[in-house]
Amino acid sequence: MAPINRRNFIEYSSIMSAGALISPSSIHFTSQENKLRIGVIGTGMRGQGHVSLLLQRDDVEVAAICDIDSGMIASTLKYYEKYQAPKPKIYQAGPYDYRNMLANEDLDAVIIATPWRWHTEMAVASMEAGIYTGMEVCGGFSLDECWQIVNTHERTGTQLYFLENVCFRRDVMAVLQMVRKDMFGEMVHLECGYQHDLRGVKFNDGKTPYNSGVEFGEKGYSEAKWRTLHSVGRDGDLYPTHGIGPIAQYIDINRGNRLAYITSISSKSRGLHDYILNHEKGGPDHPNANQKFNLGDKVTSMIKTTNDETIVLHHDTNLPRPYSLGFRVQGTKGLWQVDNKSIYIEGLSPSHRWESQDDYMKQYDHPLWKRYEQRAVGAGHGGMDFFLLHSFVEHAKKKQAPPFDAYDAATWLSITPLSEQSIALGSEPMPFPDFTRGKWIDRKNTFAKEGDLF
Amino acid sequence: MAPINRRNFIEYSSIMSAGALISPSSIHFTSQENKLRIGVIGTGMRGQGHVSLLLQRDDVEVAAICDIDSGMIASTLKYYEKYQAPKPKIYQAGPYDYRNMLANEDLDAVIIATPWRWHTEMAVASMEAGIYTGMEVCGGFSLDECWQIVNTHERTGTQLYFLENVCFRRDVMAVLQMVRKDMFGEMVHLECGYQHDLRGVKFNDGKTPYNSGVEFGEKGYSEAKWRTLHSVGRDGDLYPTHGIGPIAQYIDINRGNRLAYITSISSKSRGLHDYILNHEKGGPDHPNANQKFNLGDKVTSMIKTTNDETIVLHHDTNLPRPYSLGFRVQGTKGLWQVDNKSIYIEGLSPSHRWESQDDYMKQYDHPLWKRYEQRAVGAGHGGMDFFLLHSFVEHAKKKQAPPFDAYDAATWLSITPLSEQSIALGSEPMPFPDFTRGKWIDRKNTFAKEGDLF
């Protein structure tokens, strides 16, 4: 039997509460001792956003932070001053100091918001340490890595919460309500993706994060320091989860349905080179003007599910364009398209004509948004980040299986290496492994349903 | 040397006119003898539309019509009464009577508007007869058929005009102007397709063509008589040309660029069955309720070009939805999307924000539309059909190579069998034959450029 430490006590008390028919949301963590102790690995811009939101809660303590960059640590500490929070233990002694944090801090939960290539090894270590693990989104590198996540979760019994915030977007959740009320009929075809002009993120002046220059890698700052290198060496859908996460909820992926195979295609690569060439701080004589980028400006993938839906997934981050996750949710009775903000439902909409989505979004606004709207105001990414962290914290308190778990993480991450492989082989279809090893047959989708947070 | 008959005389006189530096558009065909003699094979709804428009011109004579359906012949003759045109020679003695028409009528041009499966053999016969051939659009059945079109054209020297009307759509042509003025920069990614709820076309009551019942095949009328059978037996992009035709103009397919390979995916098939089930004249006891339909409700294809653009092609004809050809034209400087009627161009548009397409459509309205707008009013499909037939007639008068020729027909038609094959093999990529046998390298795109009609 595990020694009764603070961490076990919280789990135990949660179970007791449930046994006593007290609603989980009535559990309060007011005293310092009962707060959920969270450690954050990676305190760049994304990590700081999480810390800032967590410090505003009275039920958590961000007890430890870890980063290799002292400037980012310093920026993070300013949030502690702002919210008058007890200073955290700081780990900044090189890239593996996170191991010391995991070993020493008696944490209830960890959030990992480091560059992509560290996510899996840190998540595996955190699960090995028995700590409820929140892992930021990215794309994977290998199927083996995806299996590591699954196998470590199963061996240790520790949960992994894959921190996909777009599942909580207000329109995405309203449409989820509509899907569940059968407004669109049986699902047939879905589209999604990440279409975001990241040129001003992939390059900067080495000092300020956005739109400030044409440097990257060692001379870059924030994401330009590391993210851009993926555009140099790789060609695939590097960032699939903001699209596939919400779609997975609509069609119950890993819960009665499964991704079967994918085929991907990649266009010419021009956008990043042109950006360097045409930027006032760049030009043809700038050293980066000779840099080759492997990443096609537009990577498109098609996925088939075992329930016979088709999915189109966009990845479009190198060209000038307005932001769009490109959602389309189409069933036997109608469809939603995010780009024209329109809905068509047979029998409700005028024949063969789009309707504005506005009234539908109001009518089917998700109960969670109605309930938490005020608390979400001001949180990152239009309030989504409040919901994400609220869900993470509430699930971590109860050590409960998260809505996006190790199997989902493995599945969604695997899109990236599978798309790279498909492209490398001239758009050959690539089968998805069944990361659930058959459990998808009878697993249930509980995300944002009665009992999940409300 | 060929005998000098009326047909040769027109060709000869055209050459003389050009030699005398008289603009081709100044050639008038006023006397009955000098009119372009056209025969129309297939006088269903589409053929009647063409006859109706042609009879309103003073430079053509629709000298012969051919159909196996006496009712359709009768409907067509009403247009002759309406426009007080000399009655045509009628060929209606079975499916091969068109051969007699081709042999006997001394035609200058033929338009083929029959059910899809007849297009190629009729076009081949027409080219063999040395008659300028207009072939309505469809999808192909086999690569061999596509090669037949190319080989017959090359052996006989007779032109085939592939009658793709959407290339003349006003917004499509304005965007062509923008592409040619480099407004979007170098082309990177394009989308298009045929998204049209055809349930009310694929089924009817056997008497009226649209939205009147759940019969098809022998009990159906008009397209329901034959088109629906393709949804029974086939699974692929059955109707690719309204999408690929305009896209081919933007990226010069078969003229410096070429379609390289395609991979396709198909969803579950529900829409047609549901339609029968839920229609007031259908229901679970209707015999057609047991009909299986192979065609996936949503077929999506991705195409790579030799110039490294990517194309996504939609086919979506069985579900309730508003009409959309789904155009997206994306380059290194910006993009157009038809569904939100929006354009974004770096440096012109507000940063990261869509602009309405309206001002751009006005500013870049194609000169052909400005010139012929009044004549196009009232012609089918928003005026496109006027431009199509005007272009066909003017090219036929001069026996000139059409903008969409035998090579384009073969290439665009081949999408259908290639997509069927890809789907049958689980989305395997399928290479496009080079139907030009290398001529694409130096062929030039002349469509709607100075000298083509204006």
Side-chain angles (χ1 to χ4, degrees), chain B residues 319-382:
Chain B
L319 296 175
R321 59 156 300 136
Y323 180 88
S324 169
L325 298 187
F327 288 113
R328 164 170 165 168
V329 175
Q330 184 169 15
T332 54
K333 297 181 186 172
L335 74 166
W336 171 53
Q337 275 190 186
V338 78
D339 275 346
N340 49 339
K341 296 186 172 61
S342 292
I343 280 175
Y344 178 80
I345 293 177
E346 187 167 39
L348 291 180
S349 307
S351 188
H352 291 268
R353 281 177 46 204
W354 290 111
E355 285 186 284
S356 162
Q357 69 178 20
D358 294 351
D359 288 347
Y360 290 99
M361 291 299 164
K362 276 178 211 146
Q363 190 177 347
Y364 295 95
D365 195 26
H366 194 281
L368 278 177
W369 268 94
K370 288 181 188 158
R371 175 165 170 187
Y372 289 109
E373 181 174 9
Q374 289 313 312
R375 287 182 68 182
V377 168
H381 297 99

Side-chain angles (χ1 to χ4, degrees), chain B residues 50-331:
Chain B
H50 288 325
V51 169
S52 165
L53 287 176
L54 291 170
L55 292 178
Q56 297 172 59
R57 299 181 64 102
D58 63 5
D59 56 353
V60 307
E61 181 192 358
V62 186
I65 60 175
C66 175
D67 205 292
I68 57 170
D69 184 328
S70 58
M72 292 299 188
I73 293 280
S75 304
T76 309
L77 290 175
K78 288 185 184 160
Y79 289 106
Y80 282 80
E81 287 168 31
K82 179 174 176 185
Y83 297 111
Q84 300 179 310
K87 289 284 172 297
K89 188 76 178 290
I90 294 167
Y91 289 83
Q92 53 182 336
Y96 294 98
D97 207 23
Y98 73 90
R99 292 172 178 169
N100 299 318
M101 179 180 110
L102 296 174
N104 301 337
E105 291 300 320
D106 193 22
L107 298 169
D108 302 307
V110 156
I111 286 177
I112 297 161
T114 47
W116 299 338
R117 93 143 193 74
W118 293 94
H119 286 196
T120 292
E121 74 176 74
M122 288 172 170
V124 165
S126 175
M127 284 190 282
E128 293 282 8
I131 307 172
Y132 198 97
T133 301
M135 182 173 83
E136 259 299 340
V137 297
C138 64
F141 299 86
S142 70
L143 296 186
D144 165 77
E145 168 197 9
C146 302
W147 280 116
Q148 279 186 43
I149 291 171
V150 165
N151 291 339
T152 306
H153 158 66
E154 292 189 345
R155 192 177 60 251
T156 63
T158 311
Q159 297 292 349
L160 180 128
Y161 194 125
F162 197 38
L163 297 168
E164 179 41 65
N165 59 353
V166 180
C167 293
F168 294 96
R169 208 170 87 169
R170 193 163 201 164
D171 57 348
V172 164
M173 292 192 81
V175 169
L176 179 61
Q177 292 287 89
M178 293 182 68
V179 168
R180 288 175 172 173
K181 288 175 194 290
D182 199 36
M183 302 283 292
F184 301 109
E186 183 180 348
M187 290 286 97
V188 174
H189 176 75
L190 305 104
E191 302 198 7
C192 60
Y194 190 64
Q195 302 178 117
H196 189 183
D197 175 2
L198 290 179
R199 295 171 304 157
V201 173
K202 291 186 184 184
F203 302 104
N204 56 37
D205 64 359
K207 284 168 281 196
T208 45
Y210 307 125
N211 304 308
S212 57
V214 297
E215 303 300 338
F216 71 96
E218 288 187 5
K219 292 186 175 178
Y221 176 70
S222 187
E223 288 177 87
K225 210 175 190 64
W226 57 270
R227 186 173 187 163
T228 316
L229 295 169
H230 294 261
S231 305
V232 170
R234 307 173 76 188
D235 192 11
D237 188 325
L238 301 185
Y239 204 58
T241 70
H242 290 329
I244 200 67
I247 296 300
Q249 308 316 311
Y250 298 146
I251 55 175
D252 302 324
I253 294 302
N254 291 334
R255 293 158 183 84
N257 197 6
R258 198 169 79 69
L259 303 185
Y261 61 85
I262 184 172
T263 169
S264 300
I265 202 164
S266 173
S267 76
K268 64 185 76 170
S269 174
R270 295 285 187 276
L272 301 184
H273 174 73
D274 284 2
Y275 187 77
I276 293 164
L277 223 60
N278 299 324
H279 197 284
E280 56 176 10
K281 294 182 184 168
D285 298 328
H286 191 283
N288 288 346
N290 299 317
Q291 179 63 56
K292 184 177 176 294
F293 296 94
N294 279 354
L295 179 63
D297 290 338
K298 181 70 170 65
V299 173
T300 314
S301 303
M302 305 189 303
I303 296 173
K304 184 86 173 261
T305 69
T306 54
N307 284 357
D308 244 4
E309 296 96 1
T310 49
I311 304 169
V312 169
L313 190 56
H314 301 275
H315 184 262
D316 175 353
T317 61
N318 298 345
L319 296 175
R321 59 156 300 136
Y323 180 88
S324 169
L325 298 187
F327 288 113
R328 164 170 165 168
V329 175
Q330 184 169 15

Side-chain angles (χ1 to χ4, degrees), chain A residues 56-279:
Chain A
Q56 297 173 58
R57 298 181 65 101
D58 64 4
D59 56 353
V60 306
E61 181 192 359
V62 186
I65 61 174
C66 174
D67 205 292
I68 57 170
D69 184 328
S70 58
M72 292 299 187
I73 292 280
S75 303
T76 309
L77 290 175
K78 287 184 184 159
Y79 289 106
Y80 282 80
E81 287 168 31
K82 178 174 177 186
Y83 297 111
Q84 300 180 309
K87 289 284 174 294
K89 188 75 178 292
I90 294 168
Y91 289 84
Q92 54 181 336
Y96 294 98
D97 208 21
Y98 74 88
R99 293 173 177 168
N100 299 317
M101 181 180 108
L102 295 174
N104 301 337
E105 291 300 321
D106 193 22
L107 298 169
D108 301 309
V110 155
I111 286 177
I112 297 161
T114 48
W116 298 338
R117 93 143 193 74
W118 292 94
H119 285 195
T120 292
E121 74 177 75
M122 288 171 171
V124 164
S126 174
M127 283 189 281
E128 294 281 9
I131 306 173
Y132 198 98
T133 302
M135 183 172 84
E136 260 298 341
V137 296
C138 64
F141 299 86
S142 71
L143 296 186
D144 165 78
E145 168 198 10
C146 302
W147 279 115
Q148 279 185 42
I149 290 170
V150 166
N151 292 338
T152 306
H153 159 65
E154 292 189 345
R155 192 176 61 250
T156 63
T158 310
Q159 297 291 349
L160 179 127
Y161 194 125
F162 197 39
L163 297 167
E164 179 42 65
N165 59 354
V166 180
C167 293
F168 293 96
R169 207 169 88 169
R170 194 164 199 163
D171 57 348
V172 164
M173 292 192 81
V175 169
L176 179 62
Q177 293 287 89
M178 293 182 68
V179 169
R180 287 176 173 174
K181 287 175 195 292
D182 199 36
M183 303 281 294
F184 301 109
E186 184 180 348
M187 292 284 96
V188 173
H189 177 75
L190 305 104
E191 301 197 8
C192 61
Y194 190 63
Q195 302 178 119
H196 189 182
D197 175 2
L198 290 178
R199 295 172 304 158
V201 173
K202 292 186 182 184
F203 302 104
N204 55 38
D205 65 358
K207 285 169 283 201
T208 45
Y210 306 125
N211 303 310
S212 57
V214 298
E215 304 298 340
F216 71 97
E218 287 186 6
K219 292 186 175 178
Y221 176 70
S222 188
E223 287 177 88
K225 211 178 190 64
W226 58 269
R227 187 173 185 162
T228 316
L229 296 169
H230 294 260
S231 305
V232 170
R234 308 174 75 189
D235 191 11
D237 188 325
L238 301 184
Y239 205 57
T241 70
H242 290 330
I244 200 65
I247 296 300
Q249 308 315 310
Y250 298 147
I251 54 173
D252 301 325
I253 295 301
N254 291 334
R255 292 159 186 82
N257 196 6
R258 199 169 79 69
L259 303 184
Y261 62 84
I262 184 173
T263 171
S264 300
I265 202 165
S266 173
S267 77
K268 64 185 74 171
S269 175
R270 294 286 186 278
L272 300 183
H273 174 73
D274 284 1
Y275 187 78
I276 293 164
L277 223 59
N278 298 325
H279 197 283

